[in-house]
């Protein structure tokens, strides 16, 4: 199964707050006003698998402390990049880059890929 950045970002919230998992929207669920049909148990939610993988990846992926801090405050505390920057004494763009790099590294780790930071490293990896 291939992980996407969006999946990792959604799951990071529940990694730090177990109660958040119950409030997450099921993307495959029908609208509430739709009639109920048969349930195909083979196509059940794989959210718990994502949760376990991301939780384990958080501990073993090659993430710097700054990247972990930025991602933790962004996805667990739901702070804005400006608020995190004010606390850590960094610019909004620096904090945003750190959080995005953390998600990218974590996604690459979960997919078994090498993380490529920008187009400059793309040519070196080929």
């Amino acid at each position: 199964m291939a992980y996407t950045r969006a999946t990792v970002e959604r799951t990071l919230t529940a990694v730090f707050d177990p109660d958040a998992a119950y409030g997450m929207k099921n993307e495959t669920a029908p609208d509430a006003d739709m009639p109920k049909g048969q349930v195909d148990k083979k196509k059940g939610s794989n959210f718990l698998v994502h949760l376990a993988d991301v939780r384990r990846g958080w501990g073993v992926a090659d993430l710097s402390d700054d990247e972990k801090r930025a991602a933790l405050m962004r996805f667990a505390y739901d702070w804005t990049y400006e608020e995190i920057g004010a606390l850590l004494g960094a610019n909004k763009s620096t904090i945003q880059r750190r959080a995005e790099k953390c998600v990218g590294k974590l996604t690459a780790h979960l997919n078994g890929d090498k993380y490529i930071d920008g187009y400059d490293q793309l040519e070196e990896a080929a």
Side-chain angles (χ1 to χ4, degrees), residues 40-86:
D40 186 2
K41 294 187 181 193
K42 292 180 183 176
K43 295 182 181 178
S45 175
N46 52 4
F47 174 73
L48 294 177
V49 175
H50 292 177
L51 184 62
D53 287 347
V54 171
R55 185 173 287 155
R56 184 173 189 287
W58 181 264
V60 297
D62 183 28
L63 305 172
S64 72
D65 288 341
D66 288 336
E67 293 164 354
K68 284 185 174 183
R69 257 186 233 110
L72 175 74
M73 291 180 190
R74 178 69 188 120
F75 298 109
Y77 301 157
D78 199 28
W79 289 3
T80 64
Y81 294 120
E82 291 87 358
E83 292 171 330
I84 300 167

Side-chain angles (χ1 to χ4, degrees), residues 109-123:
H109 174 78
L110 292 172
N111 288 327
D113 297 333
K114 180 182 176 194
Y115 176 72
I116 297 174
D117 187 21
Y119 292 106
D120 296 335
Q121 290 184 350
L122 189 59
E123 294 174 4

Side-chain angles (χ1 to χ4, degrees), residues 14-33:
V15 166
F16 304 110
D17 184 8
D19 294 333
Y22 297 107
M24 297 183 82
K25 181 182 177 201
N26 182 0
E27 302 282 335
T28 60
D31 292 334
D33 59 347

